[in-house]
Amino acid sequence: MHRRGFLVAGLATALSGSRALAQMKMDGMSGMDSMPGMESGHAGHDMGAMAQAPAALPEGEALRELPLLANEAGRSGLFRARLTAEASTARFVEGQDTPILAYNSTSPGPLIEAYEGDRVEITFANRTEGEQSTVHWHGMPVPADQDGNPMDPVAAGADRVYAFELPEGSAGSYWYHPHPHGRTSEQVYRGLAGAFVVKAKADPIPAAYGDTALMFTDLRLAADGSMPDNTMTDLMNGRVGDHVLVNGQKNPKLAVTLGAKRRLRLYNATNARFLRLAFANAAMTVIGSDGGLLEAPVAADEILLSPAERVELVVAFDKPGAATLTTLDYDRGWMGPGRPADAGLTLLTVDVADMPAEAMPPLPERLRPIAPLGQPTVSRRLVFTETMAMNPTGMEMGFLINGKAFDMARVDIVARAGETELWEIVNQADMDHPFHLHGTQFQVIEHERDGKVSKPPYLAWKDTVNVARGETVRLVTRQERPGARMYHCHILEHEQLGVMGIVDVQA
Ligand SMILES: [Cu+2]
C-alpha cells in the first residue's frame, strides 16, 4: 500500500481538537470570503481569532541594521563564532513581551559576514526546550554533512560544529534557518532565521552605496502577545501573518540624501508570504539574485520575491520626499477563506532629504561573467500535486511530489556529482510552490504555461524559484559534492506536510 497523503482528522485532533476539523470543513465551502467579520486583512486565522483586529505595531522607527555576528577567530581567512538557539522574548507591542525563539537572543538572527575563500567554523548550541534543531545554510555550497539536513538533527542541549569553506566566486546573499524534521515551520515563524552574506574579495559595486540587508518576516500576534500555533488554514496555504516586518520592525524609516544610491539585499524569510514589491519615488535596479551578482544590472519596476528568494538591488533616490517600498497584489492561489490582503502594505519608508548627496560613482555596466551550465546529460521531471478528499474519518489532504509524500528513509533521485541535469518542475496544483534545491545553485532556462514557452530575461544563479500553479519551470543544475540533498517547497508548512524529496549525489 502506498500512502497518498495524510489524514487531516488525526492531525486536527493532535493540534486543537474538533474545532480545526470544523474549520477545515468550512474552508471547503464556497462564498465564505463575503462573510461578515472575515475581511481579508486577517489572514489565515481560525474562526475565533478572525473576529479580532490584529494588534497595532509602532511604525516609523529608525531602521535597525542587523547586528553582526562577531568573528572570534582573530586572523583573516577564518570565520569562527557561536550560534545559540534558545527561547527569548521580543517587544513588538508596547508593554507586551512576546515569547520567541532567537539565535543569540536576536530575531532575525545576527548577520554573518564572511569572504570568499574563508573557512567557516560555527558552533551551534541548541538550547531550545526539548526540541531538536539544525542550522541549514540556505543556498550555500557546503558539504552535505554540514548542511543541517533533517537527517542530522542536533538534540536539545547539544552542540555541534558546522565547518565549510566558501569557494571563490561564491559571494552572494544567503541565509540560515533550522531544518529539523517536522519542526522547521514552527521554529522559523517563532524567530529562527538570519542572513549570511558572502562578500567578494573584489566587489564591483561602489562602496559608497553601502550594503544593507533587509530581512522580511511575517508576524502574527494573539491578543495576549503570544504567537498562535498553526491552524488548518495555515497548514494548507502556508502561514501568513498580520505584519510583514523588516529586520524585526514594522515599516521602519531610513534617511538618505537626495541623489543617494543604496545597495539593498532583500530576503524573503517568511514562511509563506509572496511579496510583489515596488518602490514609489525611487528607481530599482536588480544587480543580484539568490546566488550573487548578475552579469549586468537590470532596471525593474517591480519584483516578485517568493518565500526564501533573495534579490540584490541598487535603489536610486532622485526625488525628495518619501520613497516607499510597498506591496502589490499577487494571487498565488489560496484555499478557503481568509486570503490575506497582499496589496498596499508599506514595508519601508525612505526619507529623501532635499540636501543633495555627494556625487555617487556610477554602477558598472558589467558586474561579473556567469557561464551557462550548458547541455544537460540527464533529465528529471517533478510533478507537484495536491489531493483532497472527504472520507468517513475526515478530510484527507495530500501535498505530493510525483505522487509521494516525503519519506526520510527513501531516496527519490540518484544523481552523479559533476553531471549537468535538466530538472523540469511541473506544478499541477492550485497554489504556487516555491521550489528550493539544496547543495548548489541552478539556472532557470524556461517557463511554460498553457503551451507557451518563455525564457527568463537574464541569466542568474538561483536556489529557489517560484513555480506558479499551472506552470512548468525548467532549470539546469549540477551538484559538485556527493551526499544526500533535499529539494522541497519553501512554503514551510508544505515542506512539513511532505512536499520534499531526497537526491542522493554519488561521487
Ligand atoms: Cu508549496
Side-chain angles (χ1 to χ4, degrees):
M1 186 210 137
H2 62 282
R3 223 185 64 179
R4 286 183 59 248
F6 68 100
L7 275 179
V8 167
L11 187 78
T13 309
L15 282 173
S16 55
S18 58
R19 198 177 59 169
L21 186 59
Q23 159 75 10
M24 187 74 199
K25 286 175 179 164
M26 293 187 76
D27 281 342
M29 292 162 62
S30 58
M32 295 280 294
D33 288 303
S34 54
M35 253 184 67
M38 297 194 51
E39 55 270 69
S40 54
H42 306 170
H45 290 202
D46 63 27
M47 301 299 288
M50 248 185 164
Q52 218 169 49
L57 264 63
E59 301 185 36
E61 295 171 346
L63 173 74
R64 281 196 295 260
E65 298 242 339
L66 297 170
L68 263 184
L69 185 63
N71 184 1
E72 295 164 4
R75 67 171 173 88
S76 69
L78 176 65
F79 185 93
R80 183 180 281 153
R82 190 177 168 87
L83 267 185
T84 302
E86 61 194 334
S88 185
T89 58
R91 184 153 283 200
F92 297 108
V93 176
E94 193 46 47
Q96 211 169 44
D97 281 332
T98 297
I100 63 167
L101 291 174
Y103 288 118
N104 296 3
S105 305
T106 171
S107 179
L111 170 65
I112 305 177
E113 259 186 25
Y115 282 83
E116 290 175 343
D118 280 358
R119 177 175 171 79
V120 175
E121 293 176 5
I122 292 180
T123 302
F124 170 54
N126 180 0
R127 298 294 178 267
T128 62
E129 281 154 36
E131 288 185 32
Q132 60 177 37
S133 193
T134 75
V135 184
H136 168 53
W137 311 99
H138 184 118
M140 301 181 66
V142 310
D145 60 359
Q146 303 300 311
D147 203 25
N149 287 326
M151 301 80 108
D152 297 319
V154 179
D159 291 4
R160 81 149 277 178
V161 177
Y162 291 101
F164 45 87
E165 325 279 334
L166 301 172
E168 299 297 332
S170 65
S173 308
Y174 308 101
W175 60 302
Y176 61 96
H177 63 77
H179 212 310
H181 188 57
R183 307 293 304 172
T184 300
S185 144
E186 182 173 348
Q187 290 185 5
V188 173
Y189 78 68
R190 294 206 182 277
L192 293 180
F196 195 134
V197 173
V198 178
K199 297 227 164 198
K201 279 178 179 152
D203 196 326
I205 310 302
Y209 297 0
D211 190 345
T212 305
L214 301 176
M215 206 162 198
F216 302 117
T217 55
D218 196 357
L219 175 70
R220 187 191 306 159
L221 286 180
D224 65 356
S226 67
M227 292 183 190
D229 290 341
N230 271 343
T231 65
M232 293 311 305
T233 299
D234 294 329
L235 294 178
M236 279 193 299
N237 293 290
R239 180 189 182 93
V240 174
D242 294 321
H243 308 278
V244 178
L245 305 182
V246 180
N247 296 356
Q249 296 171 289
K250 183 156 183 177
N251 184 18
K253 200 163 269 188
L254 177 67
V256 303
T257 46
L258 187 62
K261 288 183 168 64
R262 295 295 293 259
R263 179 187 201 168
L264 304 176
R265 300 176 191 258
L266 276 49
Y267 282 77
N268 188 337
T270 71
N271 276 37
R273 174 84 75 158
F274 287 66
L275 296 168
R276 187 177 154 219
L277 301 167
F279 238 117
N281 286 325
M284 293 192 292
T285 302
V286 180
I287 58 166
S289 57
D290 302 336
L293 294 176
L294 307 181
E295 292 186 288
V298 180
D301 292 327
E302 60 173 72
I303 285 149
L304 179 64
L305 207 58
S306 72
E309 281 187 298
R310 290 88 66 208
V311 67
E312 227 181 301
L313 301 176
V314 169
V315 183
F317 298 98
D318 294 328
K319 294 176 191 158
T324 50
L325 180 64
T326 58
T327 59
L328 305 170
D329 185 54
Y330 180 72
D331 183 5
R332 46 79 145 207
W334 189 267
M335 297 170 94
R339 189 190 153 198
D342 282 330
L345 308 176
T346 303
L347 304 186
L348 174 73
T349 301
V350 182
D351 276 339
V352 185
D354 287 333
M355 194 163 13
E358 285 179 38
M360 287 273 150
L363 188 57
E365 284 173 24
R366 307 299 303 172
L367 302 178
R368 67 154 173 180
I370 296 181
L373 276 173
Q375 276 306 312
T377 52
V378 179
S379 67
R380 319 269 181 205
R381 182 177 160 91
L382 274 58
V383 181
F384 283 39
T385 54
E386 293 146 9
T387 59
M388 201 157 294
M390 212 49 169
N391 67 32
T393 46
M395 182 83 81
E396 191 183 77
M397 179 167 69
F399 291 85
L400 310 170
I401 302 178
N402 291 349
K404 293 174 187 157
F406 177 64
D407 181 347
M408 193 139 56
R410 184 187 69 224
V411 168
D412 298 278
I413 294 172
V414 177
R416 203 159 271 289
E419 242 172 29
T420 303
E421 301 198 344
L422 171 74
W423 285 40
E424 185 175 56
I425 321 298
V426 183
N427 187 349
Q428 296 177 351
D430 296 318
M431 281 182 253
D432 289 16
H433 295 288
F435 174 81
H436 171 49
L437 174 63
H438 289 205
T440 188
Q441 295 280 319
F442 53 73
Q443 295 173 350
V444 175
I445 53 166
E446 61 188 29
H447 297 253
E448 182 174 342
R449 199 170 202 161
D450 303 325
K452 199 171 154 268
V453 174
S454 60
K455 304 271 180 203
Y458 47 81
L459 201 54
W461 289 114
K462 299 282 294 167
D463 55 58
T464 308
V465 61
N466 187 39
V467 187
R469 52 219 162 105
E471 188 186 40
T472 294
V473 171
R474 295 187 183 89
L475 56 89
V476 282
T477 185
R478 188 164 64 215
Q479 297 276 359
E480 302 289 358
R481 297 161 198 80
R485 300 291 188 173
M486 324 304 296
Y487 56 86
H488 59 92
C489 173
H490 222 285
I491 289 180
L492 292 177
E493 287 72 22
H494 291 175
E495 177 264 349
Q496 188 153 329
L497 294 184
V499 192
M500 180 153 66
I502 294 177
V503 50
D504 182 19
V505 181
Q506 300 187 344

